[in-house]
Amino acid sequence: MASEDSTRKPLPAPDADTTAFWRGLRHGKLLLQHCRRCRNVQYYQQATCRECGGDDLEHRPATGRGKVHSFSVVYRAPGPAFKADVPYAVLLVELAEGPRMISTLTGSDPAEVTFDMEVELAFDQVSDDITLPRFRKA
Ligand SMILES: [Zn+2]
């Protein structure tokens, strides 16, 4: 087994359910799943609708707009790889389409974050395969 290098950040590993999602991010789109049966919109891809259990889902790009539903500011790095990032703000963002997603703020001082602050998606390419969806102040 390969030893974990704690100075490097862990990256997500796309699987069959999430390949389209990660491909979308590489092309600057956050894809949400829309259920054609009950019209539920879900973030975080899976094979079936979390509302009705149906499997007639289609990917559509999000507008990228949202607002801060909740947040916390991290002052103590969870590991050596995050040391250079602190302090940083972890946001629970309510997307304009409805789903909520967790990510981090980029491009402004974490001390400026407020509830209901308008944010927009920022695409942070961290490797050839992985672009992370983050948020900046709108
Ligand atoms: Zn549904």
Side-chain angles (χ1 to χ4, degrees):
M1 209 169 95
S3 67
E4 290 256 309
D5 181 352
S6 66
T7 62
R8 299 184 64 168
K9 293 178 187 175
L11 287 180
D15 62 22
D17 286 344
T18 60
T19 298
F21 176 75
W22 293 108
R23 191 188 312 121
L25 286 168
R26 280 203 305 277
H27 294 103
K29 290 178 195 151
L30 176 75
L31 296 178
L32 300 175
Q33 284 182 311
H34 292 245
C35 175
R36 280 192 264 238
R37 190 155 93 184
C38 76
R39 299 182 180 275
N40 176 47
V41 183
Q42 63 192 21
Y43 163 68
Y44 220 74
Q45 324 289 287
Q46 57 179 53
T48 55
C49 172
R50 281 191 280 273
E51 281 301 314
C52 73
D55 61 2
D56 192 5
L57 300 167
E58 86 178 320
H59 285 108
R60 287 188 217 154
T63 58
R65 311 284 299 196
K67 60 182 184 177
V68 174
H69 180 75
S70 184
F71 67 96
S72 65
V73 179
V74 175
Y75 292 96
R76 196 186 159 132
F82 295 89
K83 240 178 186 152
D85 296 343
V86 291
Y88 61 89
V90 179
L91 312 177
L92 176 62
V93 171
E94 186 167 290
L95 298 172
E97 290 81 2
R100 290 176 184 168
M101 65 183 281
I102 292 174
S103 191
T104 50
L105 179 76
T106 184
S108 53
D109 187 341
E112 288 174 19
V113 180
T114 58
F115 292 102
D116 291 331
M117 185 175 92
E118 306 267 341
V119 291
E120 61 186 13
L121 275 168
F123 297 93
D124 184 9
Q125 188 182 351
V126 293
S127 76
D128 287 347
D129 291 329
I130 300 297
T131 296
L132 297 175
R134 302 179 70 193
F135 288 96
R136 73 165 80 89
K137 202 171 171 179

